[in-house]
Amino acid sequence: MRIRGNRMAAAAVLCTLTIAAALTGCTPAGAPTAKTTTQRSTASPTPTPTPTPTPTPTAGGPLDARSAWDACSVVADREYVSQNPGSEIRPFSDTTTLQTDGDGNTFVVVAMAPPQPIEGVGSIVVICTMDGTADAPVVVKWMMKDV
């Protein structure tokens, strides 16, 4: 019984391959092939090569502290400030830099003032792990802490 099933499967595969091979040379009805032409043969112009477009360099250059901070501040606003009336994002400072953690990830910190004083807490911060370029910064992940 098993041999018969294998033969049937082999026959089906062979039939499929034969049909596929037969259909390979077919063209749709009415479509002219290279051999059938009704026009007179004339000298065709030499084709002119089309130049390959050169890729444009990525604009904006490498990620910088300001671009990363701007992208991270959107997260800070959405995740904390908009949910805590009276809180605010502390302004970008010239001392803000991109930093690298122990795994080689680039991150930036955005500080926020809480809506009312919290004992032992000076700020709430959002720490964003970043990627991308100055024109297209990407927040890969983020976390919030009180400091």
Side-chain angles (χ1 to χ4, degrees):
M1 195 70 170
R2 187 171 154 199
I3 293 173
R4 185 174 179 195
N6 288 344
R7 286 185 184 163
M8 299 265 308
V13 169
L14 182 60
C15 182
T16 303
L17 291 174
T18 303
I19 291 171
L23 293 176
T24 303
C26 292
T27 60
T33 62
K35 294 179 184 175
T36 59
T37 181
T38 57
Q39 295 178 347
R40 284 193 170 181
S41 177
T42 58
S44 60
T46 307
T48 54
T50 3
T52 307
T54 328
T56 53
T58 305
L63 186 65
D64 62 355
R66 182 60 195 230
S67 300
W69 187 91
D70 287 344
C72 190
S73 69
V74 171
V75 173
D77 185 57
R78 179 185 70 228
E79 299 297 329
Y80 187 78
V81 174
S82 67
Q83 298 175 26
N84 294 282
S87 61
E88 60 184 29
I89 295 175
R90 296 207 167 120
F92 177 80
S93 167
D94 291 336
T95 60
T96 302
T97 60
L98 289 176
Q99 301 173 51
T100 305
D101 67 12
D103 294 330
N105 298 312
T106 301
F107 69 94
V108 68
V109 177
V110 173
M112 297 164 292
Q116 54 267 0
I118 303 171
E119 188 176 329
V121 175
S123 293
I124 307 295
V125 296
V126 173
I127 304 165
C128 296
T129 301
M130 302 298 299
D131 200 3
T133 63
D135 282 351
V138 176
V139 176
V140 177
K141 63 182 179 179
W142 61 271
M143 69 176 174
M144 197 176 317
K145 293 180 75 170
D146 55 356
V147 291

